[in-house]
Amino acid sequence: MCGIRCNKFFNVVLSMAGIGLSTYAFYVEKKTHEDEKYVPMCDINQEISCSKVFNSEFGRGFGLVGKYLGDDHPANQPNSLYGVIFYSLMLLMSLFNRKMLATLQVLFSFGACGMSCYLGYLLYFVLKDLCVVCVATYGVNFLLLLFSLRKRSLLKPKVIKEDKYGYYIPTTNFNGNNNNFKKFI
């Protein structure tokens, strides 16, 4: 796989793709509420319809906030708004190569993949629909998890040679012909 710079590039690109997909989903949801005749590009037919998914009961608060806290609760926002916030945080964390942020990125990615499995189940088995935008965000979440795990593994500290007592052992490339010392004298 690639090094830390390449990994940062893919994390940034995937985060920006997630922001774009979530922004489009938010736009489609708002536009379908304003204009009933509006047909988005992602509505291909009756079985492949993103507006049907975005305007369902599971399109706001993941179908859980409204159920447990009420439909007028401030946390009952469109899922796409949560997506914009999530991908913005992932983009911000992608810019810095710190182990703590990489660990946080991995945890966020695992949470996003868990939510993707939950929403994918709802999409396929409950709503019996296929949403192109939703499936694309699931793919972005999975790839973000892979690249976040790789970033974290690249940021592991290098092992310093130590003896059995924990002291650092300096190593030299001494092969008997050390001419550097002779040049110094």
Side-chain angles (χ1 to χ4, degrees):
M1 219 166 171
C2 58
I4 194 74
R5 287 184 192 166
C6 177
N7 194 290
K8 181 188 280 191
F9 171 76
F10 282 115
N11 270 325
V12 167
V13 167
L14 287 169
S15 298
M16 290 173 58
I19 290 172
L21 287 167
S22 296
T23 304
Y24 177 71
F26 188 74
Y27 171 77
V28 167
E29 184 175 358
K30 290 299 176 191
K31 192 73 171 174
T32 53
H33 280 301
E34 292 172 4
D35 184 13
E36 293 179 10
K37 294 180 182 179
Y38 174 72
V39 179
M41 288 189 314
C42 55
D43 281 359
I44 298 170
N45 58 27
Q46 289 288 63
E47 291 82 29
I48 304 174
S49 171
C50 61
S51 62
K52 178 181 168 186
V53 175
F54 298 152
N55 293 319
S56 73
E57 63 178 297
F58 303 107
R60 297 182 68 81
F62 305 106
L64 300 172
V65 176
K67 184 177 180 181
Y68 294 112
L69 300 176
D71 289 334
D72 54 345
H73 193 274
N76 195 23
Q77 298 298 320
N79 295 347
S80 54
L81 189 62
Y82 287 114
V84 170
I85 294 167
F86 166 75
Y87 291 119
S88 298
L89 285 172
M90 290 296 281
L91 177 64
L92 187 65
M93 288 188 287
S94 296
L95 299 176
F96 302 102
N97 292 329
R98 300 284 181 252
K99 185 158 181 151
M100 181 194 72
L101 289 176
T103 303
L104 201 58
Q105 236 179 328
V106 168
L107 292 173
F108 279 13
S109 293
F110 270 121
C113 284
M115 288 306 293
S116 293
C117 290
Y118 166 71
L119 291 172
Y121 167 79
L122 292 174
L123 180 69
Y124 188 74
F125 292 107
V126 177
L127 297 174
K128 296 182 180 12
D129 193 31
L130 180 65
C131 170
V132 178
V133 176
C134 301
V135 172
T137 58
Y138 304 157
V140 167
N141 288 342
F142 178 71
L143 289 174
L144 269 175
L145 174 65
L146 293 180
F147 282 104
S148 297
L149 285 168
R150 178 66 180 153
K151 177 182 177 181
R152 189 173 185 286
S153 71
L154 287 171
L155 292 175
K156 285 186 177 177
K158 295 180 181 176
V159 177
I160 298 174
K161 292 186 178 183
E162 296 177 350
D163 66 359
K164 65 180 180 178
Y165 302 108
Y167 293 105
Y168 169 70
I169 302 172
T171 58
T172 59
N173 294 332
F174 184 72
N175 57 5
N177 296 331
N178 192 355
N179 295 328
N180 291 334
F181 183 73
K182 292 176 185 175
K183 290 178 187 176
F184 179 70
I185 296 179

